[in-house]
């Protein structure tokens, strides 16, 4: 025989935690808008560059070298990539810094590159 929780008590353990500490659902994937045109600065993506842009397209964010400066609540949505990979993506304009913590997000230019460039 099951009993319902007393009134006012959370029915699921996550409901008792503050909203910031709850695990978040996977964010929606991002796709190229189709509005970005013009030449791309490189003829092909390196495997790590493609992996970084794929992670960004899947709704995650990337960090340079490690997760220093990323708060615990957001750490599950951030993937660390080697510094040279992140610097190349910045130089090409494929990513932009989201905030001062060193977390990056994809630009439409980067999402276009992911959609059209081959892997070298």
């Amino acid at each position: 025989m099951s009993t319902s929780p007393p009134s006012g008590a959370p029915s699921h353990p996550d409901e008792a935690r503050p909203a910031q500490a709850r695990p978040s659902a996977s964010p929606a994937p991002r796709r190229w808008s189709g509005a970005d045109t013009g030449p791309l600065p490189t003829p092909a993506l390196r495997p790590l560059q493609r992996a970084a842009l794929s992670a960004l397209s899947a709704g995650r964010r990337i960090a340079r070298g490690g997760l220093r400066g990323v708060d615990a609540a957001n750490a599950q949505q951030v993937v660390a990539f080697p510094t040279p990979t992140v610097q190349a993506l910045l130089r090409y304009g494929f990513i932009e810094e989201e905030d001062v913590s060193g977390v990056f997000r994809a630009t439409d230019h980067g999402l276009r590159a992911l959609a059209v460039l081959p892997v070298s």
Side-chain angles (χ1 to χ4, degrees), residues 68-87:
R68 286 184 298 265
V70 178
D71 62 353
N74 292 325
Q76 292 182 355
Q77 293 301 319
V78 178
V79 181
F81 281 91
T83 300
T85 299
V86 175
Q87 286 177 327

Side-chain angles (χ1 to χ4, degrees), residues 23-41:
S24 60
S26 294
R30 294 191 57 214
R31 292 190 175 87
W32 171 41
S33 70
D36 182 61
T37 58
L40 289 168

Side-chain angles (χ1 to χ4, degrees), residues 34-101:
D36 182 61
T37 58
L40 289 168
T42 182
L45 293 171
R46 301 270 179 169
L48 279 175
Q49 292 171 345
R50 178 166 292 283
L53 289 173
S54 293
L56 291 167
S57 175
R60 302 189 81 184
R61 296 175 300 160
I62 64 171
R64 180 186 341 207
L67 298 180
R68 286 184 298 265
V70 178
D71 62 353
N74 292 325
Q76 292 182 355
Q77 293 301 319
V78 178
V79 181
F81 281 91
T83 300
T85 299
V86 175
Q87 286 177 327
L89 293 173
L90 273 170
R91 186 173 54 248
Y92 296 148
F94 293 163
I95 61 174
E96 62 188 5
E97 194 163 12
E98 189 170 284
D99 54 31
V100 294
S101 68

